[in-house]
Amino acid sequence: MKINRILLSAALVVVALVVQVSVLARLQLPGAVPDLVLLTVVALALVYGHVTGALVGFTAGLLADLAPPADHAAGRYALVLCVVGYLCGLARPDNGRLKSATGPMAVVVAAALGSTLLYAGVGALVGDTAARHVGLGFLLFTAALYDLLLAPFTVPLIMAIARRAENDPLAGTDGANGADVSSGWLSSGTGLRIGTQRGGLRVKAARNRASRAGRIKGVKRL
């Protein structure tokens, strides 16, 4: 695991955890709580792959287990996010390119549902019946809803930052070669292709320079 991945992942996870504990957990929404830590793990796994996704998920989950006001056994959420990070990393395309937001959105919903089910299942094994009192179906619905509403504002941004930190050439590709996963998320639904626009502007600028050079040469010959 590269040092820049470690530093960036640690910084993003810590920021997500602070926002999670200090802001999102205090909103007192019905049912589940919007899980920014989960979305951070999903975003990093979609960029870095399943191995790094599992490591980041385990670390993020362990920090969440130890952060106050945690009321469950340490290691419970670490196990959940480790599995989620690994599976989300498997959903990353081999070339790292996605031109639509449908794939990442489906991954977010699956991660929200899967993490809630796995967390409740592990809790049942250790005698935690909190999910039974609230209602597992209601928890699943609210977890998927809240994370899906929060995802467009966080996941593409985190993916773009991870791409830049990796110096990944896909972060600067144009529409002719395929769009980055984060730019594909942002462009879908709007009908705009960010990479295509950039490529078209480059070609147009090159043509303008060539035409100006041709006119200058013609004037000199005269």
Side-chain angles (χ1 to χ4, degrees):
M1 192 172 177
K2 298 179 181 179
I3 187 66
N4 58 336
R5 288 189 181 185
I6 296 175
L7 295 177
L8 178 64
S9 300
L12 292 174
V13 167
V14 169
V15 171
L17 184 59
V18 170
V19 175
Q20 178 80 31
V21 173
S22 61
V23 179
L24 298 179
R26 299 185 179 183
L27 294 178
Q28 296 182 348
L29 296 173
V33 175
D35 199 336
L36 184 57
V37 177
L38 173 67
L39 295 178
T40 302
V41 172
V42 170
L44 293 175
L46 286 175
V47 175
Y48 294 145
H50 59 283
V51 176
T52 303
L55 294 175
V56 172
F58 178 81
T59 305
L62 187 59
L63 290 176
D65 287 331
L66 300 176
D71 56 354
H72 55 267
R76 180 175 169 186
Y77 202 46
L79 172 63
V80 172
L81 287 189
C82 181
V83 174
V84 169
Y86 181 84
L87 295 178
C88 289
L90 293 178
R92 176 184 181 270
D94 293 335
N95 58 7
R97 298 167 183 165
L98 287 174
K99 294 184 178 181
S100 172
T102 304
M105 289 175 67
V107 172
V108 168
V109 173
L113 296 176
S115 62
T116 303
L117 283 173
L118 185 57
Y119 187 83
V122 175
L125 294 176
V126 298
D128 185 359
T129 59
R132 188 179 306 170
H133 295 305
V134 177
L136 183 57
F138 185 60
L139 277 178
L140 290 173
F141 173 75
T142 53
L145 178 62
Y146 296 155
D147 290 347
L148 192 59
L149 292 176
L150 185 61
F153 304 99
T154 55
V155 174
L157 177 61
I158 295 172
M159 293 174 70
I161 293 173
R163 285 276 189 218
R164 294 294 181 183
E166 283 282 288
N167 293 321
D168 195 325
L170 286 178
T173 54
D174 55 28
N177 296 323
D180 180 277
V181 282
S182 55
S183 59
W185 181 303
L186 293 171
S187 62
S188 65
T190 63
L192 299 177
R193 293 293 179 186
I194 298 174
T196 304
Q197 289 179 333
R198 288 177 179 172
L201 290 176
R202 292 194 190 105
V203 173
K204 188 175 182 180
R207 289 177 179 174
N208 290 336
R209 287 195 298 269
S211 62
R212 285 199 301 270
R215 288 197 298 268
I216 292 173
K217 288 181 180 179
V219 171
K220 287 182 178 180
R221 289 176 182 175
L222 292 175

